[in-house]
Coordinates of all heavy atoms in Angstrom, one line a residue:
D238 N 131.1 59.4 149.0 CA 130.4 59.7 147.7 C 129.8 61.1 147.9 O 128.7 61.3 148.5 CB 129.3 58.7 147.5 CG 128.5 59.0 146.2 OD1 128.9 59.9 145.5 OD2 127.6 58.2 145.9
L239 N 130.4 62.1 147.3 CA 130.0 63.5 147.4 C 128.6 63.7 146.8 O 127.8 64.5 147.3 CB 131.0 64.5 146.8 CG 132.2 64.9 147.6 CD1 133.1 65.7 146.8 CD2 131.7 65.6 148.9
L240 N 128.3 63.0 145.8 CA 127.0 63.1 145.1 C 125.8 62.7 146.1 O 124.8 63.4 146.1 CB 126.9 62.3 143.9 CG 127.5 62.9 142.6 CD1 127.5 61.8 141.5 CD2 126.8 64.1 142.2
S241 N 126.1 61.7 146.9 CA 125.0 61.3 147.8 C 125.1 62.0 149.2 O 124.1 62.2 149.8 CB 125.0 59.8 148.0 OG 126.2 59.4 148.7
E242 N 126.2 62.5 149.6 CA 126.4 63.1 150.9 C 126.2 64.6 151.0 O 125.7 65.1 152.0 CB 127.8 62.8 151.4 CG 128.1 61.3 151.7 CD 127.4 60.7 152.8 OE1 126.9 61.4 153.7 OE2 127.2 59.5 152.8
L243 N 126.5 65.3 149.9 CA 126.5 66.7 150.0 C 125.0 67.3 150.1 O 124.8 68.3 150.8 CB 127.2 67.3 148.7 CG 127.5 68.8 148.8 CD1 128.4 69.1 150.0 CD2 128.2 69.2 147.6
P244 N 124.0 66.7 149.4 CA 122.7 67.3 149.6 C 122.2 67.3 151.1 O 121.6 68.3 151.5 CB 121.8 66.3 148.7 CG 122.7 65.9 147.7 CD 124.1 65.7 148.4
A245 N 122.4 66.3 151.8 CA 122.0 66.3 153.3 C 122.8 67.4 154.0 O 122.2 68.0 154.9 CB 122.3 64.9 153.9
L246 N 124.0 67.6 153.7 CA 124.8 68.6 154.4 C 124.3 70.0 154.0 O 124.1 70.8 154.9 CB 126.3 68.5 154.0 CG 127.2 69.5 154.7 CD1 127.3 69.3 156.2 CD2 128.6 69.4 154.1
T247 N 124.0 70.3 152.8 CA 123.5 71.6 152.4 C 122.1 71.8 152.9 O 121.7 73.0 153.1 CB 123.6 71.8 150.9 OG1 122.8 70.8 150.2 CG2 125.0 71.8 150.4
D248 N 121.3 70.8 153.1 CA 120.0 70.9 153.6 C 120.0 71.6 155.0 O 119.2 72.4 155.4 CB 119.2 69.6 153.7 CG 118.7 69.1 152.4 OD1 118.7 69.9 151.4 OD2 118.3 67.9 152.3
V249 N 121.1 71.2 155.8 CA 121.2 71.8 157.1 C 121.9 73.2 157.1 O 121.5 74.1 157.8 CB 122.1 70.8 158.0 CG1 122.4 71.5 159.3 CG2 121.4 69.5 158.2
L250 N 122.9 73.3 156.2 CA 123.7 74.5 156.2 C 123.1 75.7 155.5 O 123.3 76.8 155.9 CB 125.1 74.2 155.7 CG 126.0 73.3 156.5 CD1 127.3 73.1 155.8 CD2 126.1 73.7 157.9
D251 N 122.4 75.5 154.4 CA 121.8 76.6 153.7 C 120.9 77.5 154.6 O 121.1 78.7 154.5 CB 121.0 76.1 152.5 CG 121.8 75.7 151.3 OD1 123.0 75.8 151.4 OD2 121.2 75.2 150.3
P252 N 120.0 77.0 155.4 CA 119.3 77.9 156.3 C 120.1 78.7 157.3 O 119.8 79.8 157.7 CB 118.2 77.0 157.0 CG 118.2 75.8 156.2 CD 119.5 75.6 155.5
L253 N 121.2 78.0 157.7 CA 122.1 78.6 158.8 C 123.1 79.6 158.2 O 123.3 80.7 158.8 CB 122.8 77.5 159.5 CG 122.0 76.5 160.3 CD1 122.9 75.4 160.8 CD2 121.3 77.2 161.4
W254 N 123.7 79.3 157.1 CA 124.8 80.1 156.6 C 124.5 80.7 155.3 O 125.4 81.4 154.7 CB 126.0 79.2 156.4 CG 126.7 78.7 157.7 CD1 126.4 79.1 158.9 CD2 127.6 77.6 157.8 NE1 127.2 78.4 159.8 CE2 127.9 77.5 159.2 CE3 128.3 76.8 156.9 CZ2 128.9 76.6 159.6 CZ3 129.2 75.9 157.4 CH2 129.5 75.8 158.7
G255 N 123.4 80.6 154.7 CA 123.1 81.1 153.4 C 123.4 80.0 152.4 O 124.0 79.0 152.7
R256 N 122.9 80.1 151.2 CA 123.0 79.1 150.2 C 124.5 78.7 149.9 O 125.3 79.6 149.5 CB 122.3 79.5 148.9 CG 122.4 78.5 147.8 CD 121.7 79.0 146.5 NE 120.3 78.7 146.7 CZ 119.4 78.8 145.8 NH1 119.8 79.2 144.6 NH2 118.2 78.5 146.0
I257 N 124.9 77.5 150.1 CA 126.2 77.0 149.8 C 126.3 76.9 148.3 O 125.5 76.2 147.6 CB 126.5 75.7 150.5 CG1 126.3 75.7 152.0 CG2 127.9 75.2 150.1 CD1 127.2 76.7 152.7
T258 N 127.3 77.6 147.7 CA 127.4 77.7 146.2 C 128.6 76.9 145.7 O 128.6 76.4 144.6 CB 127.5 79.1 145.7 OG1 128.6 79.8 146.4 CG2 126.2 79.8 146.0
R259 N 129.7 76.8 146.6 CA 130.9 76.1 146.2 C 131.5 75.3 147.3 O 131.3 75.8 148.5 CB 131.9 77.1 145.7 CG 131.6 77.8 144.4 CD 132.7 78.8 144.0 NE 132.3 79.5 142.9 CZ 132.5 79.1 141.6 NH1 133.1 78.0 141.4 NH2 132.2 79.8 140.6
I260 N 132.1 74.2 147.0 CA 132.9 73.6 148.0 C 134.3 73.2 147.4 O 134.4 73.1 146.2 CB 132.3 72.3 148.6 CG1 132.2 71.2 147.5 CG2 130.9 72.6 149.2 CD1 132.0 69.8 148.1
A261 N 135.2 73.0 148.3 CA 136.6 72.6 147.8 C 137.0 71.5 148.7 O 136.8 71.5 150.0 CB 137.5 73.7 147.8
V262 N 137.6 70.4 148.1 CA 138.1 69.3 148.9 C 139.5 68.9 148.4 O 139.9 69.3 147.3 CB 137.2 68.1 148.7 CG1 135.8 68.4 149.3 CG2 137.1 67.6 147.3
N263 N 140.1 68.1 149.2 CA 141.4 67.5 148.8 C 141.0 66.1 148.2 O 140.3 65.3 148.9 CB 142.3 67.3 149.9 CG 143.7 66.8 149.6 OD1 143.8 65.8 148.9 ND2 144.7 67.4 150.0
P264 N 141.5 65.7 147.0 CA 141.0 64.4 146.4 C 141.6 63.2 147.1 O 141.1 62.1 146.8 CB 141.6 64.5 145.0 CG 142.7 65.5 145.0 CD 142.3 66.5 146.1
K265 N 142.4 63.3 148.1 CA 143.0 62.2 148.8 C 141.9 61.3 149.5 O 142.0 60.1 149.5 CB 144.0 62.6 149.9 CG 144.6 61.5 150.7 CD 145.6 62.0 151.7 CE 146.2 60.9 152.4 NZ 147.1 61.3 153.5
C266 N 140.9 62.0 150.0 CA 139.8 61.2 150.8 C 138.5 61.0 149.9 O 137.6 60.4 150.4 CB 139.5 62.0 152.0 SG 140.9 61.9 153.2
W267 N 138.5 61.6 148.7 CA 137.3 61.4 147.9 C 137.6 60.8 146.6 O 138.3 61.4 145.8 CB 136.7 62.8 147.7 CG 136.3 63.5 148.9 CD1 137.1 64.5 149.6 CD2 135.2 63.3 149.8 NE1 136.4 64.9 150.7 CE2 135.3 64.2 150.8 CE3 134.1 62.5 149.7 CZ2 134.3 64.3 151.8 CZ3 133.1 62.6 150.7 CH2 133.2 63.4 151.7
P268 N 137.2 59.5 146.4 CA 137.7 58.8 145.2 C 137.1 59.4 143.9 O 137.8 59.4 142.9 CB 137.1 57.4 145.4 CG 136.1 57.5 146.5 CD 136.4 58.7 147.3
V269 N 135.9 60.0 143.9 CA 135.3 60.6 142.7 C 134.9 62.0 143.2 O 134.1 62.2 144.1 CB 134.1 59.8 142.2 CG1 133.4 60.5 141.1 CG2 134.5 58.4 141.8

């Protein structure tokens, strides 16, 4: 579930890599 998983990921990555503004995925592994 990207809606619930992505915020925790960006909480870690934003301070390290700068504000994450876009992501791209293959829909095979993400149902929504």
Side-chain angles (χ1 to χ4, degrees):
D238 179 5
L239 278 174
L240 280 172
S241 65
E242 296 291 336
L243 196 57
L246 182 63
T247 60
D248 283 349
V249 174
L250 296 180
D251 281 358
L253 298 173
W254 291 347
R256 180 179 279 190
I257 303 299
T258 55
R259 295 180 183 272
I260 68 163
V262 297
N263 184 312
K265 179 178 178 183
C266 294
W267 301 99
V269 176

